[in-house]
Amino acid sequence: MTAVLDFTMGESAAALRGRLRRMVAEFFPDDFLGAFTDDPADLALTQRFSRLLADEGLLTVAWPREFGGSDGSVWEQTVVREEMWAYHEPRGPQYMGLNWVGPAIMAYGTAEQKAEHLPRIATGETIWCQGFSEPGSGSDLASLQTRAVRTGDHWEITGQKIWTSYAGMADWCVLAARTGDKDSGRRGISLFLIPMDRPGITVRPLRAMLGPHHLNECFFDSVVATDAEVLGEVGTGWSVMKTALAHERVGIARYARCERLLWLLRDVLRHEWDDLDEGVRNEWSGALVQVRVARLLAYRAVERQEGNEMVDLEASQARIASTTCDQQVAEVVSQLLGPRSLLGAAAGAPAHGAFEDHWRYAQAATVASGTIEIQREIVSRELLGRQAVR
Amino acid sequence: MTGERSSFRQVVRQVLADSWPPLAEYASGVLPPNAERLRKVSDELGWWELEDEDGGFAFASIAIQELGGALGPGELLQGLCVNPVIAGSADPRRVACSWGDSGPGGFSGEVSWCLAPGDDVERVLVFAEQTGEPVAALVRSQGAGARLEPMTGSDPTRRFWRLVMDGVPPGEPEILARGDEAALLMSEVEQRVSVGLALDSLGIARSALALTVAYAKIREQFGAPIGSFQAVKHRCVDMFVLVETADVLVEAAVTALASGAPLGPSGVASIAMAKAASCDAAAEVTRLALQTHGGIGYTWEHPCHLLLRRAKLNQALGRNPRSLRRAVAGRLVADALTGGQETTPLRGERK
């Protein structure tokens, strides 16, 4: 199936969408806004839903059968991504494992690592987190200082990670640590697959604008790791991370929720819509076009990722489009709904608070998993060539 | 008066330092912070009666702006900015009014986004149509057929209320004004709300700019302070320009209001410009502040996201920027056609 300039992706995709929507509607209450709320029942529901998806062969639809997948196409996977994100990610914290940890283990893992981890991701049993950012290494990720020191026949890892999504509930972590010397930059980084219950790991939740149960700080104090837990070769962590981040950047189908919210906005406005002046309605249409541009750019990046081509440019371009359309839609909503768009769910907000939730998340969209400045930097390297960062 | 105003600004800052949590510690306690002490001190210092003096609003405006920059209590915003124009038999310090853009309704339904000068609200100012003419009335907030509910939203720094009216007896509301007088009071309150939001937002924008500039100087990535990279450096300058643009327009609006004379069309237009520019500027400056801070800006303890939440709500409250700009455009065109002579009044201004 080709995706070029095709918003619907044909009949089979439509059938899949319908099936997923029915499953979500049956499983989740109307006011579900994601797994990371103050009510632990929300998280539990997403865990059960992930297992149901796995039973139906939809959790890892595009993975090969030998790893627990359904041998489906990447476009089926795209439909799943879109529908899941549009309905507030009912897979909860599964996204990291499905979207890139699994594929990275497939590409770089040993036979033992594949056998241990892939089936459990495919059944929705394990939650993964990603230990990349550090307090001193955000945009300048390659300067990370968490150290993995060779001690006898194993490694001892010490350092601090921050902004770690799901760390408090995760079973496993892909941890980036420096195995080279202090100034080894991107050549001295290795990745480790570490169980989160290993001695020496402390997780502290970070209360944030995104809600109380999303982000964390992780402290690693002489945490032991074996050679068998290194993903890829020692010292090649950076290139795995780059691939991972390119997947992460197109992995969230933000445009899908944007599209849903724009139509929801029309439903909420009902008769008021007809009284809006043309300028305001044009803003709405402009946002809808931008949402669809973001979708097509994401398809282009996915297509090239499938062909195993270098996709830094496409991934970053798609990421810029999808994060800025998140913000554009938030703006249009606030223009059309006024202060109602900022009402919390408890105060009788329209759409159970989905608009307010979207506005808050959209603010972080151009910061998380690589700031928009870094995305621009990546695109500029292709356009202008690599120059000293300034 | 410039010297007196800048000394007053120092006094306000000192009071805030003594009686209100600094931004850096703001979010570590309950939100919004307890305003009792600040209310008491500001009362003792005579801030609540500033407008009894000539040009008093020029001073009140300084307090309102500084309070905005400190994420001050909604109580003082209401008390210093709007309550001076509300008369009636009730203690004006116990009267709340809407900061939304609800327009005249009736004595049934809801009046949203009310700010109150304290927790002990007795009455809510309601604009309504009664027997074909506009009326301004005070409705008892816990009287027959009415109740006051808290409203929660994106901005946890102020407490908003919603008056829900469901069968208020016809004789119950205390009518403050009818007809032209009621329309006049309504436009007066609308102007006050616009200026109040503009001042609050200007304070917010200044604080967000100051935090961002300080952070850009100390946060290092790629071996240098992030403020040395053009992407960040130029953004800081854009933020500064937005703040200064808002500042001159807000100052013009304050001057118009502080003169005490009835507002002419240009005064009304200057208030509209100030509200639109300052609230838009603050929403954008705080958004860019969060972007520049990165993840730390949206952690709960950091004031960045709180400044952004409050600025965003200010932008949505009151009359929306689009309708304000349309009114301003109308005024400017009318001025151009008449060679700058003030002519017909615009909607909602004094005749």
Side-chain angles (χ1 to χ4, degrees):
Chain A
M1 187 189 321
T2 172
V4 178
L5 283 176
D6 182 357
F7 293 113
T8 64
M9 296 198 270
E11 279 174 29
S12 61
L16 178 55
R17 274 186 213 287
R19 185 171 159 207
L20 289 163
R21 283 179 196 182
R22 279 193 301 278
M23 287 171 75
V24 172
E26 275 167 29
F27 222 83
F28 290 91
D30 288 345
D31 60 357
F32 176 75
L33 289 181
F36 311 108
T37 64
D38 276 323
D39 185 356
D42 287 322
L43 177 66
L45 205 55
T46 62
Q47 293 295 89
R48 289 211 302 279
F49 186 72
S50 296
R51 286 179 196 167
L52 175 68
L53 283 177
D55 289 345
E56 305 255 328
L58 292 171
L59 193 62
T60 48
V61 63
W63 286 19
R65 275 193 202 282
E66 58 168 318
F67 300 132
S70 307
D71 270 335
S73 80
V74 67
W75 300 112
E76 284 174 284
Q77 182 66 45
T78 302
V79 169
V80 175
R81 265 180 198 161
E82 291 178 349
E83 292 306 313
M84 295 297 101
W85 192 256
Y87 291 89
H88 299 277
E89 193 49 272
R91 296 170 302 179
Q94 288 297 329
Y95 143 83
M96 200 74 80
L98 301 174
N99 195 52
W100 82 262
V101 177
I105 291 174
M106 268 179 239
Y108 303 98
T110 62
E112 291 75 17
Q113 288 169 342
K114 289 177 190 171
E116 176 168 21
H117 296 299
L118 296 177
R120 293 201 282 157
I121 296 176
T123 53
E125 277 170 61
T126 49
I127 298 172
W128 281 80
C129 66
Q130 162 192 303
F132 285 4
S133 295
E134 297 181 2
S137 303
S139 284
D140 186 9
L141 186 57
S143 70
L144 63 89
Q145 291 302 325
T146 291
R147 301 269 296 136
V149 179
R150 192 73 193 168
T151 312
D153 64 348
H154 63 271
W155 301 88
E156 277 187 24
I157 304 175
T158 300
Q160 183 188 350
K161 296 291 172 181
I162 196 165
W163 319 128
T164 319
S165 299
Y166 331 136
M169 48 190 85
D171 309 294
W172 288 84
C173 177
V174 186
L175 180 62
R178 186 158 298 287
T179 42
D181 62 41
K182 193 171 178 302
D183 301 315
S184 55
R186 41 187 76 175
R187 291 178 316 281
I189 298 172
S190 304
L191 290 180
F192 296 86
L193 308 176
I194 306 282
M196 288 298 283
D197 59 1
R198 185 154 295 172
I201 303 179
T202 311
V203 177
R204 227 182 64 184
L206 280 176
R207 199 176 164 209
M209 196 186 189
L210 306 180
H213 307 289
H214 196 117
L215 301 175
N216 302 273
E217 289 179 286
C218 302
F219 301 88
F220 297 83
D221 183 11
S222 302
V223 174
V224 171
T226 66
D227 283 332
E229 288 166 336
V230 176
L231 179 65
E233 301 292 317
V234 170
T236 64
W238 183 254
S239 63
V240 182
M241 286 161 84
K242 264 183 60 175
T243 316
L245 286 170
H247 275 99
E248 195 186 343
R249 280 162 194 164
V250 294
I252 304 182
R254 289 171 178 271
Y255 54 84
R257 192 179 302 169
C258 286
E259 172 121 10
R260 178 169 163 253
L261 288 177
L262 283 175
W263 291 105
L264 208 51
L265 177 60
R266 280 204 59 166
D267 288 348
V268 167
L269 288 168
R270 285 193 218 177
H271 316 300
E272 289 173 63
W273 173 264
D274 295 327
D275 299 331
L276 291 174
D277 73 39
E278 199 185 336
V280 181
R281 285 193 276 186
N282 286 350
E283 301 263 342
W284 183 91
S285 334
L288 188 59
V289 170
Q290 203 48 46
V291 164
R292 296 193 173 174
V293 168
R295 169 184 259 190
L296 291 176
L297 288 172
Y299 289 176
R300 187 174 284 178
V302 167
E303 202 163 38
R304 296 203 60 186
Q305 260 165 355
E306 268 315 276
N308 288 319
E309 295 175 72
M310 272 295 289
V311 292
D312 286 3
L313 175 79
E314 284 79 5
S316 289
Q317 191 184 352
R319 174 83 186 172
I320 291 171
S322 73
T323 53
T324 52
C325 94
D326 244 11
Q327 294 175 349
Q328 190 179 348
V329 167
E331 276 310 302
V332 168
V333 168
S334 108
Q335 279 199 34
L336 269 69
L337 281 185
R340 275 182 290 170
S341 66
L342 299 169
L343 270 182
H352 307 288
F355 296 116
E356 194 271 341
D357 177 83
H358 177 75
W359 176 74
R360 276 186 290 110
Y361 269 80
Q363 303 312 309
T366 48
V367 173
S369 57
T371 60
I372 195 167
E373 290 78 18
I374 291 301
Q375 311 306 326
R376 290 183 181 129
E377 188 65 28
I378 292 169
V379 174
S380 79
R381 279 178 202 157
E382 299 275 329
L383 284 178
L384 305 164
R386 183 183 289 277
Q387 302 185 15
V389 181
R390 264 292 155 200
Chain B
M1 195 162 80
T2 317
E4 290 167 22
R5 285 181 79 202
S6 71
S7 333
F8 183 64
R9 192 181 295 276
Q10 294 310 316
V11 172
V12 174
R13 286 182 183 167
Q14 193 54 53
V15 168
L16 284 170
D18 291 341
S19 311
W20 193 243
L23 285 179
E25 293 160 27
Y26 190 90
S28 20
V30 179
L31 295 186
N34 187 328
E36 203 174 327
R37 181 178 156 82
L38 184 57
R39 281 181 62 197
K40 188 163 169 286
V41 174
S42 61
D43 195 10
E44 283 164 9
L45 290 169
W47 294 4
W48 294 66
E49 282 91 36
L50 278 173
E51 290 206 49
D52 297 347
E53 312 284 323
D54 278 349
F57 191 75
F59 289 90
S61 70
I62 285 170
I64 297 165
Q65 189 192 324
E66 292 296 322
L67 284 160
L71 297 173
E75 289 94 320
L76 267 77
L77 185 54
Q78 172 73 17
L80 302 188
C81 193
V82 181
N83 286 46
V85 297
I86 304 174
S89 63
D91 179 353
R93 295 190 186 198
R94 303 231 157 92
V95 175
C97 80
S98 173
W99 287 61
D101 181 21
S102 41
F107 296 115
S108 64
E110 297 179 357
V111 177
S112 297
W113 302 105
C114 294
L115 278 179
D119 286 337
D120 44 0
V121 187
E122 282 177 0
R123 303 202 176 229
V124 180
L125 178 63
V126 174
F127 295 103
E129 300 266 347
Q130 207 180 50
T131 56
E133 68 170 352
V135 293
L138 295 177
V139 173
R140 272 193 294 166
S141 53
Q142 304 298 347
R147 62 180 192 276
L148 207 56
E149 293 176 345
M151 287 180 88
T152 55
S154 225
D155 168 24
T157 71
R158 288 170 296 190
R159 205 173 278 122
F160 285 92
W161 307 89
R162 172 197 284 143
L163 178 72
V164 182
M165 292 174 289
D166 180 14
V168 178
E172 208 295 303
E174 177 192 344
I175 305 293
L176 290 182
R178 291 182 182 278
D180 285 353
E181 263 185 68
L184 190 67
L185 180 59
M186 184 165 149
S187 70
E188 212 165 9
V189 168
E190 187 185 289
Q191 311 297 359
R192 290 282 175 146
V193 164
S194 284
V195 173
L197 292 169
L199 284 162
D200 194 73
S201 282
L202 181 57
I204 295 168
R206 280 206 183 288
S207 289
L209 173 65
L211 282 173
T212 306
V213 168
Y215 189 68
K217 287 184 191 174
I218 57 158
R219 168 70 175 176
E220 292 193 4
Q221 289 287 270
F222 304 102
I226 58 170
S228 67
F229 299 105
Q230 278 198 353
V232 174
K233 189 198 297 187
H234 287 183
R235 183 192 295 149
C236 288
V237 176
D238 289 343
M239 292 164 72
F240 174 76
V241 170
L242 281 168
V243 169
E244 294 301 303
T245 305
D247 185 67
V248 290
L249 291 171
V250 170
E251 193 55 30
V254 167
T255 307
L257 210 57
S259 74
L263 283 177
S266 63
V268 173
S270 76
I271 287 172
M273 279 193 272
K275 198 278 173 183
S278 184
C279 293
D280 279 2
E284 181 65 1
V285 167
T286 52
R287 186 183 77 79
L288 295 174
L290 190 137
Q291 183 66 34
T292 310
H293 278 82
I296 195 77
Y298 52 77
T299 49
W300 188 263
E301 289 74 13
H302 200 283
C304 217
H305 73 106
L306 295 174
L307 292 162
L308 170 63
R309 288 162 186 263
R310 178 152 163 159
K312 193 66 193 168
L313 184 58
N314 279 1
Q315 186 189 34
L317 290 173
R319 273 178 75 186
N320 71 61
R322 189 180 292 269
S323 92
L324 290 166
R325 292 201 170 98
R326 202 160 38 219
V328 170
R331 178 77 256 142
L332 296 177
V333 170
D335 281 354
L337 294 176
T338 58
Q341 298 300 305
E342 298 214 325
T343 52
T344 47
L346 292 169
R347 180 198 150 208
E349 65 189 26
R350 295 185 201 220
K351 295 200 182 81

